[in-house]
Amino acid sequence: MTLPVKSVIYAKVNRPDPTLLARAAKFGVADLHEGLGEIAGRMCLMSPAMMPIAPGQKMCGPAITAWNFPGDNLGIHAALYTAEAGDVLVLTNGGGHQGALWGDVACTFAQKRGLSGTVVHGATRDVDAIRDLGYPVWSTAISPEHPKKRGPAAANVPVVVDGVLVEPGDVIVGDSDGVLVIPQGLLDLAVTRAEVRAAAEVEFRRRIGDGEVLFDILGMRSLVADLGIEIKDCTWTDDRQV
């Protein structure tokens, strides 16, 4: 017996602490990615296929998720219905280009509602109109292909987007470097480490301005010695002739 697939919309989302979210919004993807650490940072970073529609885009906000059947975008309208100002829509149909998930009409509504941005694991269309709106969108594909609205679909459930698990309320950060997903349980850690990293980089820039060499500022001389790497005061062709 084949069981029917039942669509579902969860109207409520557990959002992160607003103060912590405001601290996170001060940083870009690179700082927060580093703040998550080597393992979590890689697991939470979407691939380079997730591209910004326009240069200079930035966003930071809690995830409102939507799973859509391939060729269908019913789920994105359910997500839009539940989203609040500051939220980020995270949409997927598994990453296929069939049936555009996002377009300029939905984008106009999202902008009117005060959303921070949209992440599309699938196709976006009406790209020129979206750029004119100035609303931040990241997408893995561009295609005008017509979507159906029949489902099945789900809103505000865990989804896998471009290989990364996204749970409703996770913090989504995007800029020209890409898109990062920060689980709520790791948000404090990521932000605190990003703040330390940012302060260190201010000092690095000061020392560069004072004329110091980056190789020494970063302690590379000691690292090279520890790794047993030889620095030879000659060209490689001179070395071959010895």
Side-chain angles (χ1 to χ4, degrees), residues 99-238:
L101 285 177
W102 192 249
D104 65 327
V105 173
C107 199
T108 300
F109 180 79
Q111 188 174 53
K112 177 69 174 178
R113 196 140 186 159
L115 304 191
S116 292
T118 298
V119 176
V120 184
H121 184 212
T124 294
R125 69 182 185 185
D126 309 318
V127 171
D128 288 338
I130 291 174
R131 287 173 179 156
D132 288 342
L133 284 171
Y135 176 83
V137 177
W138 284 254
S139 186
T140 55
I142 295 173
S143 173
E145 189 171 337
H146 174 74
K148 298 293 185 180
K149 293 176 176 59
R150 296 180 297 207
N156 293 319
V157 298
V159 292
V160 175
V161 177
D162 194 26
V164 180
L165 175 64
V166 183
E167 298 200 35
D170 283 351
V171 175
I172 311 299
V173 183
D175 60 22
S176 296
D177 286 343
V179 175
L180 181 70
V181 181
I182 308 178
Q184 290 197 48
L186 296 178
L187 183 58
D188 195 355
L189 175 70
V191 171
T192 299
R193 286 179 174 176
E195 289 169 342
V196 172
R197 173 182 167 83
E201 290 190 345
V202 169
E203 177 63 10
F204 290 160
R205 292 185 180 92
R206 183 195 65 77
R207 292 174 65 180
I208 290 170
D210 288 344
E212 292 189 54
V213 178
L214 188 60
F215 197 77
D216 293 324
I217 293 173
L218 296 179
M220 298 302 297
R221 198 173 302 277
S222 296
L223 178 62
V224 164
D226 290 342
L227 292 173
I229 300 172
E230 184 179 3
I231 299 178
K232 295 189 174 185
D233 190 21
C234 64
T235 69
W236 75 276
T237 51
D238 290 339

